[in-house]
Amino acid sequence: MQLKLAVNPMGDLAVDALILPLAETGEKPSIPGALDASVISWVEELYTSGEFKGKLFETAILHRPAGLKARRLLVVGTGKPDKSADSELRQASGTAIRAAKKFSARSAAIYLADATASAVTAAAEGLVLGDWEGDVYRSKNERKPIDSVSIAVDSGADGLEAAVERGRIIAESQNFSRDLVNLPPNLLNPTILAERARAMATEMGLECEVLDEPRMQQLGMGSLLAVARGSVEPPVLIVLRYKPADGSASKDHLGLVGKGVTFDTGGISIKPAENMDKMKYDMGGGATLIGAMRAIAQLKPNLPVTAFIPSVENMPGGRAYRPGDIITSLSGKTVEVLNTDAEGRLILNDAITYAKRAGCTHLVDAATLTGAIVVALGHIYTGVFTNNEAFGDKLLSAAKRQGEKLWPMPLDDDFRELLKSNFADIANIGGRWGGSITAALFLKEFAEDTPWIHLDIAGTVSHDDGKPYASKGASGTCVRTLTDLALNW
């Protein structure tokens, strides 16, 4: 999809679908721009009849609108004006572009009255994200792509072109993450994930290093390697490095750590068969970081950022690690394995230690870590755990700016008792209760005093049902938030 800024009156936009965002303002709509009286009457009648009230995700279509060169006028609701305007506009833009695709529009424009740079970026993101589809493996796909979309404004204020470009970069990077997560496990293993990351790094100008199994053995990553033993697919640790071209005035170094389990059977503690197909999503944390690094490489924050993605398959087999095993992590701490399905924390702890040794001063990890977080927060919120309140607040502010729903969770030391082991420094599970908290506390043990945040994205990594603004499948959650965190450090 080509995306551009157009400084044009509404009447001059010769497109298949002209999108007009309208708010939920009661019976009398606020209609921007100069429209023909018959079109204004049509909009007012929609509000009066209740057929369209401007509620978020509502749409209505007028064919051959008088006074416009567009073939259709598509109005889309943005919800109540007191809501977060950019977040609602992002979702409304995605809703509109998906509605336009249903009638095979090949060109579209969205008209923004009194456009700000942040609104233009949000609209650009929504359009690109809404265009993404997750069913690309169907042998017959009759859906036609939209070739070009314009963000139309009446006057070209400074920075709007850059705002469009920023939105395009971030959304395309989020879609890049979604493409990775949606790959079936027969087409994505740790080696292929590393190849995809390296190709992206080469294209975007990032440094990429891939640690193989012998190198990880040499370093002493016994925790990560234990998880990988049951699979014929070798493990990797992918490292992506961004460095500001002119150096950084900041002494900080942001480290991002992402779980990259390309398929998770649970290992010897095997999962039930029902819904195991969704375990292809278990590398969603790693994909989030790869997408975020793609955006960071292009938007160039004044801060060094390094991503570490440990990637394995967790499979049963003759060499698989077992409940009762005691493994030695890169940090030197020993872990008693009580459940081989709690594997994500075992590959993350070695990556966290490695990130600290690489000089990272602040750490954020992202992982589809626990089903318990889905019980707590459903499929709406990502759980946030931190050992540093100020750092946590910084990330939550980034999430709020990006319209991503994150919720702070407790990390009390009282729960640490549940991770006590009779035979090792720590056990890899803490029992049924507070499972997302004990999983986070396990990781905190390895982050130690380094400011650290854990994002449990198990509930938000994908959409089981399509949204008005998004296809079924991977969501690309937290790509925008992590990119914003780096840019606004």
Side-chain angles (χ1 to χ4, degrees):
M1 173 199 287
Q2 290 185 334
L3 185 66
K4 63 181 181 180
L5 184 74
V7 183
N8 286 99
M10 291 179 69
D12 292 345
L13 296 165
V15 291
D16 292 335
L18 173 60
I19 301 164
L20 180 61
L22 294 175
E24 187 179 357
T25 55
E27 290 192 3
K28 188 70 173 176
S30 175
I31 305 173
L35 288 172
D36 186 88
S38 65
V39 176
I40 294 174
S41 177
W42 172 74
V43 174
E44 290 177 342
E45 186 176 341
L46 287 175
Y47 275 77
T48 302
S49 66
E51 183 180 343
F52 176 95
K53 301 289 287 185
K55 293 180 180 179
L56 189 60
F57 310 139
E58 284 186 334
T59 59
I61 299 173
L62 177 64
H63 293 263
R64 299 183 181 85
L68 297 176
K69 293 182 179 179
R71 295 178 61 191
R72 303 170 186 84
L73 177 65
L74 194 163
V75 294
V76 60
T78 58
K80 295 185 182 298
D82 59 345
K83 294 284 187 179
S84 174
D86 290 346
S87 177
E88 306 296 294
L89 179 60
R90 183 184 294 108
Q91 291 186 337
S93 300
T95 300
I97 208 67
R98 295 191 68 76
K101 290 174 72 171
K102 288 180 180 177
F103 54 76
S104 300
R106 304 301 295 274
S107 61
I110 183 168
Y111 174 78
L112 301 181
D114 303 320
T116 63
S118 65
V120 166
T121 295
E125 290 171 352
L127 294 166
V128 175
L129 294 171
D131 188 48
W132 183 87
E133 300 293 347
D135 59 354
V136 296
Y137 296 102
R138 295 184 187 276
S139 57
K140 292 183 180 179
N141 193 332
E142 297 178 357
R143 189 186 298 110
K144 295 180 179 179
I146 293 183
D147 296 326
S148 63
V149 180
S150 299
I151 298 177
V153 296
D154 286 332
S155 59
D158 290 343
L160 293 190
E161 290 275 8
V164 173
E165 182 66 2
R166 175 189 170 107
R168 181 192 63 78
I169 288 169
I170 292 173
E172 287 182 352
S173 296
Q174 187 172 341
N175 284 346
F176 187 85
S177 170
R178 296 163 90 184
D179 285 335
L180 288 175
V181 176
N182 246 43
L183 281 168
N186 61 317
L187 299 181
L188 185 72
N189 57 38
T191 300
I192 296 173
L193 183 62
E195 290 170 355
R196 294 289 186 105
R198 190 187 295 278
M200 181 279 292
T202 300
E203 180 184 1
M204 297 298 163
L206 295 170
E207 294 180 14
C208 180
E209 179 184 10
V210 178
L211 278 64
D212 60 12
E213 188 169 4
R215 177 58 177 149
M216 288 187 280
Q217 287 175 339
Q218 183 183 45
L219 289 168
M221 294 185 176
S223 188
L224 191 161
L225 291 172
V227 178
R229 279 194 346 225
S231 174
V232 297
E233 300 293 346
V236 296
L237 176 60
I238 304 161
V239 183
L240 298 169
R241 298 184 182 92
Y242 164 79
K243 298 175 183 177
D246 300 324
S248 174
S250 173
K251 294 181 180 179
D252 295 335
H253 181 176
L254 178 59
L256 305 177
V257 182
K259 176 183 174 183
V261 179
T262 57
F263 193 75
D264 180 20
T265 67
I268 297 299
S269 308
I270 197 162
K271 295 177 180 289
E274 185 177 2
N275 292 324
M276 197 194 284
D277 58 294
K278 294 177 182 175
M279 289 302 101
K280 69 178 184 178
Y281 295 144
D282 216 20
M283 40 67 68
T288 288
L289 302 197
I290 294 171
M293 292 300 289
R294 183 184 185 278
I296 286 166
Q298 297 174 80
L299 296 173
K300 304 187 185 310
N302 188 29
L303 174 80
V305 185
T306 306
F308 305 83
I309 299 113
S311 184
V312 302
E313 263 193 345
N314 186 24
M315 301 286 283
R319 296 180 63 248
Y321 78 130
R322 297 147 294 223
D325 283 1
I326 293 177
I327 55 183
T328 303
S329 68
L330 177 61
S331 70
K333 294 176 181 176
T334 57
V335 181
E336 182 182 11
V337 178
L338 299 181
N339 188 317
T340 64
D341 194 23
E343 86 297 332
R345 64 202 73 180
L346 296 179
I347 68 173
L348 289 170
N349 76 58
D350 277 351
I352 286 170
T353 300
Y354 190 71
K356 288 165 57 182
R357 293 183 182 180
C360 294
T361 61
H362 295 73
L363 297 172
V364 182
D365 78 71
T368 50
L369 207 64
T370 67
I373 200 66
V374 188
V375 175
L377 300 177
H379 295 283
I380 307 300
Y381 281 89
T382 289
V384 181
F385 303 81
T386 184
N387 64 358
N388 186 293
E389 187 175 350
F391 187 29
D393 288 345
K394 183 180 288 193
L395 181 126
L396 288 169
S397 295
K400 186 174 183 180
R401 285 190 295 268
Q402 292 302 319
E404 294 201 282
K405 294 181 182 295
L406 277 63
W407 194 261
M409 298 288 289
L411 203 60
D412 298 34
D413 288 338
D414 296 5
F415 289 90
R416 177 61 177 82
E417 294 295 310
L418 300 173
L419 290 170
K420 278 190 172 180
S421 166
N422 293 324
F423 308 107
D425 296 329
I426 192 170
N428 80 322
I429 60 169
R432 179 179 180 186
W433 307 116
S436 62
I437 300 170
T438 53
L441 277 167
F442 181 92
L443 297 177
K444 178 177 179 283
E445 194 82 9
F446 298 87
E448 297 178 313
D449 295 331
T450 302
W452 156 85
I453 296 168
H454 163 57
L455 301 176
D456 195 333
I457 64 170
T460 55
V461 69
S462 66
H463 303 299
D464 284 346
D465 299 312
K467 306 291 184 183
Y469 55 88
S471 170
K472 290 182 182 181
S475 66
T477 186
C478 292
V479 169
R480 298 198 311 272
T481 293
L482 292 175
T483 302
D484 187 292
L485 177 68
L487 290 172
N488 292 290
W489 191 258

